[in-house]
Amino acid sequence: MIDAYEDPGTPDRRGGARYLWWLVMRQPGRCAAGAMFGSVWMVLLAATPYLMSRAIDDGLEPGDMSALVLWSGALFAVGAFNAWLSIMRHRTMTRVRMDANFRTVKVVVGQAVRLGSALSRQMGAGEVVTIGVGDVQTISQSLTVVGPGVGAVVAYLVVALLLISVSPLLAAVVLLGIPVLVLLVGPLLGRLQGSEAEYRERQGVLTARIGDLAGGLRVLAGLGGKDLISDAFRRDSGRLREQGYRVGAVTSWVQALGIGLPTLFLAVVTWLAARLAAQGHITVGELVSVYGYVAVLVGPVSFWVECGYQISRGLVCARRVVRFLRLEPVPDTGTRDAPSEPSVLHDPESGVSIRPGRLTALVAEHPADATAVLDRLARYAPSNAMWGDTRLDDIALAQVRARILLADHEADLFAGTLQEMIAPSLRGARNHASHRDEPADAARQNPATRKALHAAAAEDIVQALPEGLNSPMTAQARNLSGGQRQRVRLARALLADPEILLTVEPTSALDAHTEATVASRLGAARQGRTTVVTTTSPLVLDHADTVRFLKDGKVAATGTHHELLESTPDYRAVVARDTEARDTEARDTEARDTEARDTKARDTEEPAMEAQATEEALG
């Protein structure tokens, strides 16, 4: 079985069937052993009726006890040996399936790492989760065909040869009848592939929606949109359930025919054999053996149908894996070096120019326009962006990533300690932390970490946690509030201290007071470095050295915040909406605080008044 650190190999991405065959060829010895164990096991199952017929014809019918004991002993020995073979077959095929499972997981994870930031732009999270959770299991299960599947073919041929020695008529019926039974199930398997493919697609979409709901449920509840999204999810899940019923209907027919048709065929062959025995063409022992042969064939036929069912589903899932493996990361064709000194970063498509060493803000009528500009400037999207006198895509990608950082406000946060989220390079610091009553971990004493936390106004987050930076965090830091998560992301970006920092709405989830604090500290924290923020917040814009206003994706005006407020009505309209929203938020917050104080006062005064009334009544 594949080792955790072993290279899984280069998968065949030419199609689903090719990928399944690649999984088989990655473990040829084990697959051959599974086929051998399966074949011998099924052949010996077919030998049991032969031994039984010999015991009847040579021992029981003529009354020869020694022959009866001999053939009965042989029957027992074959049965015991076959039981051992069955165990070895199952154990080997389990290893085959597990190897295919782990190998596919490693290939998928490796591809996800290879794609990097391009993954979310080319495939939804729900699709990736569906591949990693459901498709991998189905693919590994389909490799059952290399064991019992091959054994079923061998057993079929052996039984046909044995029947020729008994009756050519019965052999012809079996040779022609079994393939007919398999062909009858064929159209259902084709229909199953279509239904299964559609079901998997719908499942991926619904899984992605579940992830979106889990991440934004608090926001939806605050906006009053929870019921609307709930109704849409209910409709989509209903469609998925209906598609699942269609898949189940086809599956039930396949499994029913896989058991029912061989049993019906057994009855037909047994009837023919009984007529031949009654006419004296075959002996009673041969009749028993024929019945046994055909009864044994029920197993191989059922295996064929089951293998066809598993392969049909495996092909659907393998095609999805292959489609994922065909995705390509952002091409790195750059060979030139980045500018040796800070230079202007320019996006011709929008007209945005970022001067080095300054805090630049991008304001757009449509926030997606500003985000698109940053994607191009960070080389996460194709563009003609220039860095100094050099096209950005002509520069080696490693140099771009080392000097330009795009910090998204929804960037992933991996499970671990808060220290590891903010400063992964200080991962080992918690092992050397002091064990005093108050949390005092090594990472917190790091000046760069302390400076980043201060600039992001995230010090209170560390102080509120029981173990400080050593406090465990869940995936995406869901044990923190939305604003706290945003400040953690900003602190992580500031600690990285890139030459050029591009941030997307770094304060959108913060209250006005915290946002003002972050805005006042950001410039000082990035002194001498190039920083770009996309925002419509006046609190942040007031601290920017340069503001560029985008209209329809193009630069419509440039200046300071106050200059644009006076000269550009469209800019003023965009920023004013944000101002009104924040004023409303501040009023709502003040109203809630006032109501909370009044409620607390009433809760305190009412028991006192009741106690005073009681004393007066008793007096």
Side-chain angles (χ1 to χ4, degrees):
M1 195 160 50
I2 185 172
D3 184 78
Y5 300 99
E6 182 182 342
D7 180 13
T10 303
D12 194 330
R13 300 181 294 175
R14 290 177 291 177
R18 296 270 191 174
Y19 181 80
L20 294 178
W21 180 245
W22 174 77
L23 288 176
V24 172
M25 295 309 297
R26 293 304 298 178
Q27 41 179 339
R30 191 177 294 123
C31 290
M36 181 195 68
F37 284 130
S39 299
V40 177
W41 172 63
M42 285 197 174
V43 167
L44 289 182
L45 287 178
T48 301
Y50 172 79
L51 296 175
M52 187 176 297
S53 68
R54 300 299 301 173
I56 293 174
D57 288 343
D58 297 346
L60 185 61
E61 189 171 350
D64 188 347
M65 294 301 297
S66 60
L68 180 61
V69 171
L70 175 64
W71 289 112
S72 298
L75 188 63
F76 174 79
V78 168
F81 181 67
N82 221 21
W84 177 80
L85 282 177
S86 177
I87 295 173
M88 296 304 298
R89 174 194 62 83
H90 182 75
R91 179 180 298 176
T92 304
M93 291 312 304
T94 298
R95 289 179 175 271
V96 169
R97 291 193 295 270
M98 291 179 67
D99 184 279
N101 190 316
F102 296 152
R103 196 176 298 275
T104 301
V105 167
K106 291 197 69 173
V107 166
V108 169
V109 171
Q111 172 70 350
V113 173
R114 174 173 169 265
L115 290 173
S117 61
L119 175 58
S120 59
R121 292 170 169 82
Q122 299 186 53
M123 180 172 283
E127 185 80 0
V128 179
V129 170
T130 303
I131 289 174
V133 175
D135 292 349
V136 170
Q137 296 287 344
T138 305
I139 288 172
S140 62
Q141 190 65 33
S142 67
L143 295 191
T144 302
V145 69
V146 303
V150 173
V153 174
V154 174
Y156 167 70
L157 296 176
V158 170
V159 168
L161 291 175
L162 291 174
L163 283 175
I164 289 176
S165 63
V166 176
S167 170
L169 175 62
L170 293 175
V173 171
V174 171
L175 284 172
L176 297 176
I178 297 297
V180 170
L181 296 182
V182 175
L183 290 176
L184 288 175
V185 186
L188 288 175
L189 297 179
R191 183 180 174 186
L192 177 63
Q193 286 193 37
S195 300
E196 184 80 15
E198 185 177 350
Y199 178 80
R200 293 287 179 178
E201 294 293 336
R202 291 180 181 272
Q203 189 179 38
V205 172
L206 198 63
T207 303
R209 183 159 295 179
I210 291 174
D212 294 340
L213 285 173
L217 189 59
R218 187 178 301 173
V219 177
L220 288 173
L223 296 175
K226 186 167 64 174
D227 293 338
L228 180 63
I229 299 299
S230 176
D231 292 339
F233 181 80
R234 188 177 296 109
R235 287 193 300 270
D236 289 342
S237 61
R239 295 190 189 100
L240 179 65
R241 182 179 62 250
E242 293 171 2
Q243 184 63 26
Y245 287 153
R246 284 191 283 272
V247 174
V250 179
T251 300
S252 64
W253 274 107
V254 171
Q255 294 179 342
L257 292 176
I259 297 175
L261 287 179
T263 304
L264 180 62
F265 181 71
L266 171 63
V268 172
V269 175
T270 303
W271 177 77
L272 288 175
R275 285 182 58 84
L276 292 176
Q279 295 170 0
H281 296 299
I282 61 175
T283 66
V284 175
E286 289 174 334
L287 172 63
V288 173
S289 66
V290 168
Y291 176 82
Y293 294 149
V294 180
V296 166
L297 281 182
V298 172
V301 174
S302 297
F303 270 121
W304 280 342
V305 175
E306 178 67 19
C307 288
Y309 167 68
Q310 295 291 354
I311 290 176
S312 296
R313 300 183 67 218
L315 284 172
V316 172
C317 297
R319 292 188 191 114
R320 289 162 53 85
V321 171
V322 167
R323 185 173 61 192
F324 175 67
L325 296 178
R326 287 175 178 171
L327 300 179
E328 292 296 331
V330 177
D332 182 13
T333 57
T335 57
R336 302 182 63 179
D337 290 333
S340 57
E341 57 186 22
S343 303
V344 174
L345 198 58
H346 177 63
D347 175 38
E349 186 172 339
S350 63
V352 170
S353 290
I354 307 300
R355 294 177 57 187
R358 297 175 66 84
L359 175 58
T360 303
L362 300 183
V363 179
E365 285 186 323
H366 305 288
D369 292 339
T371 303
V373 171
L374 295 194
D375 281 341
R376 293 193 292 269
L377 293 178
R379 199 174 152 187
Y380 284 108
S383 72
N384 298 318
M386 303 290 293
W387 192 2
D389 297 329
T390 309
R391 280 178 59 98
L392 195 61
D393 53 10
D394 287 340
I395 301 173
L397 186 60
Q399 296 188 34
V400 175
R401 295 288 179 261
R403 297 174 61 180
I404 301 178
L405 173 63
L406 176 60
D408 194 287
H409 64 298
E410 294 182 351
D412 290 322
L413 296 171
F414 298 100
T417 64
L418 181 59
Q419 163 192 316
E420 293 165 352
M421 281 186 174
I422 297 175
S425 61
L426 299 176
R427 183 179 296 272
R430 63 175 176 172
N431 296 327
H432 303 88
S434 59
H435 298 284
R436 293 178 299 185
D437 294 337
E438 295 182 1
D441 46 80
R444 189 174 175 182
Q445 306 307 317
N446 184 286
T449 304
R450 188 165 60 247
K451 179 181 177 182
L453 291 170
H454 176 75
E459 295 164 308
D460 62 314
I461 300 175
V462 180
Q463 295 167 358
L465 294 173
E467 298 180 46
L469 283 170
N470 287 330
S471 299
M473 296 286 108
T474 61
Q476 303 299 348
R478 299 202 183 280
N479 47 342
L480 300 179
S481 67
Q484 289 174 326
R485 288 196 294 270
Q486 193 167 52
R487 284 183 282 162
V488 167
R489 292 185 177 102
L490 180 58
R492 182 174 63 179
L494 293 173
L495 183 60
D497 194 27
E499 178 183 327
I500 301 175
L501 175 61
L502 312 176
T503 61
V504 180
E505 297 286 352
T507 62
S508 59
L510 306 184
D511 60 79
H513 174 72
T514 306
E515 184 177 33
T517 302
V518 172
S520 64
R521 296 175 180 177
L522 184 59
R526 293 286 300 167
Q527 186 70 34
R529 297 285 200 176
T530 305
T531 308
V532 183
V533 297
T534 67
T535 184
T536 56
S537 168
L539 296 174
V540 178
L541 294 170
D542 195 39
H543 290 82
D545 298 318
T546 303
V547 179
R548 300 192 184 276
F549 175 58
L550 302 178
K551 186 174 182 179
D552 297 327
K554 307 288 184 180
V555 174
T558 301
T560 65
H561 172 56
H562 294 288
E563 291 172 350
L564 293 180
L565 281 177
E566 295 177 358
S567 63
T568 310
D570 290 339
Y571 174 84
R572 186 165 55 249
V574 172
V575 175
R577 284 201 302 267
D578 191 76
T579 304
E580 293 171 1
R582 291 185 178 276
D583 289 344
T584 301
E585 177 189 352
R587 288 195 298 271
D588 291 344
T589 301
E590 184 178 357
R592 286 195 298 268
D593 292 343
T594 301
E595 183 179 357
R597 288 194 298 269
D598 292 345
T599 301
K600 184 176 180 180
R602 286 196 302 270
D603 292 341
T604 304
E605 292 172 359
E606 289 178 359
M609 293 175 63
E610 292 177 358
Q612 182 179 359
T614 302
E615 291 177 0
E616 292 177 354
L618 292 175

